[in-house]
Amino acid sequence: MLCAFNYRKYCLAAIFLLLACCAPAIVRAQTDDLKIPAEVQVFIGKTDHAIALESADLNGDGTPDFILVTEKKTADTMGEDADNERTLMILSRNADGKLKLVKSNKQVVYCKSVGGSCGEPFEGVEAKPNSLTVRNCGGSARGGQERYRDDYSRVKKKA
């Protein structure tokens, strides 16, 4: 009787953790609704599409910068979307006000297959003055939600 009680308790805990991990993916807005400004659109490749865009003064110069996340789009042999790489880009303004690519990373935003039982692992990016945060849910093997934060260094003048 004691073993059956513990088994139920652990099953309920596992179900709760699974729901907690998947809930953000369920309520996240559809990426089709993203409004991409023309000045940002030029950084999206012909075979890519934007899955996230946030704006803030990332480098403390008083002008709005952008965090852009793109994904390669191709069709696999089954006609469904392939599990393609995702790229995070930091776009900052020059002295003349035009955007430039400051940094890009193809590893910080997880591809779809990393989510495991949680499904879509990418939960979004957050932009604040002098800081950005990337949120991923890594499935049961990765132990749940992971956050990556990067702060701008005024001394080094880079993130």
Side-chain angles (χ1 to χ4, degrees), residues 24 27 37 41 75 88 94 101 107 130 144 156:
V27 298
Q41 191 72 40
L88 178 129
N94 289 327
L101 176 64
Q107 298 172 344
N130 301 316
K156 296 179 184 178

Side-chain angles (χ1 to χ4, degrees), residues 4-63:
F5 175 76
N6 285 338
Y7 178 75
R8 283 189 209 124
K9 184 170 95 174
Y10 290 116
C11 284
L12 288 173
I15 291 169
F16 175 77
L17 287 173
L18 179 64
L19 290 173
C21 182
C22 294
I26 294 169
V27 298
R28 186 177 54 245
Q30 295 294 319
T31 57
D32 296 339
D33 297 337
L34 282 177
K35 304 289 187 251
I36 308 296
E39 65 179 343
V40 174
Q41 191 72 40
V42 298
F43 295 95
I44 302 172
K46 291 180 182 180
T47 60
D48 299 343
H49 76 282
I51 61 173
L53 179 68
E54 292 293 325
S55 179
D57 182 7
L58 297 171
N59 58 5
D61 67 355
T63 61

Side-chain angles (χ1 to χ4, degrees), residues 2 11 20 35 41-42 55 57-58 68 74 82 88 92-93 95 100-101 118 120 125 142 149:
L2 183 59
C11 284
K35 304 289 187 251
Q41 191 72 40
V42 298
S55 179
D57 182 7
L58 297 171
L68 173 66
T74 58
L88 178 129
S92 184
R93 295 191 185 278
K100 67 176 180 174
L101 176 64
C118 285
E120 171 63 62
V125 293
R142 290 192 172 262
R149 181 175 168 177

Side-chain angles (χ1 to χ4, degrees), residues 72-108:
K72 292 262 182 232
K73 287 304 267 183
T74 58
D76 68 8
T77 57
M78 300 300 289
E80 297 177 7
D81 291 337
D83 190 26
N84 296 309
E85 75 178 19
R86 294 171 171 181
T87 304
L88 178 129
M89 293 178 252
I90 300 174
L91 308 174
S92 184
R93 295 191 185 278
N94 289 327
D96 64 0
K98 292 184 180 178
L99 287 176
K100 67 176 180 174
L101 176 64
V102 175
K103 198 179 254 190
S104 69
N105 184 304
K106 294 184 181 209
Q107 298 172 344
V108 71

Side-chain angles (χ1 to χ4, degrees), residues 113-141:
S113 65
V114 176
S117 61
C118 285
E120 171 63 62
F122 178 58
E123 295 181 341
V125 293
E126 181 180 351
K128 292 183 177 179
N130 301 316
S131 176
L132 69 94
T133 303
V134 179
R135 294 181 315 277
N136 293 300
C137 177
S140 58

